[in-house]
Amino acid sequence: MATKNLSNTDAVSKLKELATSIDFALMATQLDKFPLHAIPMSTKKVDSKGNIWFLSGKDSTHNKNINKDSKVQLFYSKAMAMEFLTVYGKAEIVNDQIIIDDLYQSSDDNWFDGKTDPNISAIKVTPEDAHYWDTKDNMFISLIKMGVGTITGEKKDLSEQGNLKV
């Protein structure tokens, strides 16, 4: 496995690629207590600075936890595509209607009564540390390389991993 650490715009691009491709992350809050509070969250946007955005209920447990301690860990996993991402950072509850309007999609009607639901908030996660694991090629090419490696006994370098310094 090759190591490819990325920084600045390359790191933001990789973060955006993986977070939007995988979409759902487990967001862990109350990191100083066990068990962690972890819930699935759909990634709404990764902005140009690498901040990751979600929508959430103001009365949710994770919002309450973030108000007490802003540290969060995000875990992204798309095993079939061999794409993985972990992000540690600070979360902020945002109640700006313009931001909520930008993030809101019709599928969010399953959780909220429209964009103006009084219980809706946005969560902005600012990454402080991130690490990824990804295939170097698409999954089909990686499977072919694995098959060739199995037949020939030759180890193939199928993936890369590295730190993302946003």
Side-chain angles (χ1 to χ4, degrees), residues 44 55-59 104-121:
K44 295 300 175 184
L55 291 176
S56 178
K58 290 179 182 176
D59 62 354
Y104 200 90
Q105 300 169 348
S106 61
S107 60
D108 296 316
D109 289 342
N110 290 304
W111 290 273
F112 303 104
D113 292 328
K115 294 178 182 182
T116 58
D117 185 327
N119 189 43
I120 195 170
S121 67

Side-chain angles (χ1 to χ4, degrees), residues 50-162:
N51 297 310
I52 304 169
W53 292 86
F54 304 91
L55 291 176
S56 178
K58 290 179 182 176
D59 62 354
S60 65
T61 301
H62 47 282
N63 275 40
K64 291 174 187 170
N65 290 341
I66 290 168
N67 283 325
K68 291 179 193 170
D69 182 356
S70 63
K71 294 183 296 254
V72 298
Q73 184 90 35
L74 304 174
F75 300 96
Y76 288 89
S77 173
K78 192 179 204 179
M80 291 304 292
M82 296 303 290
E83 296 176 343
F84 305 94
L85 173 67
T86 180
V87 178
Y88 170 81
K90 296 274 174 104
E92 174 187 352
I93 307 298
V94 178
N95 294 305
D96 184 323
Q97 191 61 48
I98 293 171
I99 291 171
I100 292 168
D101 289 346
D102 179 52
L103 301 176
Y104 200 90
Q105 300 169 348
S106 61
S107 60
D108 296 316
D109 289 342
N110 290 304
W111 290 273
F112 303 104
D113 292 328
K115 294 178 182 182
T116 58
D117 185 327
N119 189 43
I120 195 170
S121 67
I123 296 175
K124 177 176 100 173
V125 175
T126 302
E128 293 183 1
D129 185 66
H131 195 87
Y132 75 97
W133 299 263
D134 193 10
T135 55
K136 285 184 170 186
D137 303 300
N138 68 43
M139 192 58 174
F140 180 71
I141 299 297
S142 294
L143 286 172
I144 290 172
K145 286 182 176 181
M146 285 172 58
V148 170
T150 300
I151 293 167
T152 64
E154 186 180 329
K155 288 187 178 182
K156 299 290 182 184
D157 190 7
L158 302 173
S159 60
E160 64 186 23
Q161 57 86 31

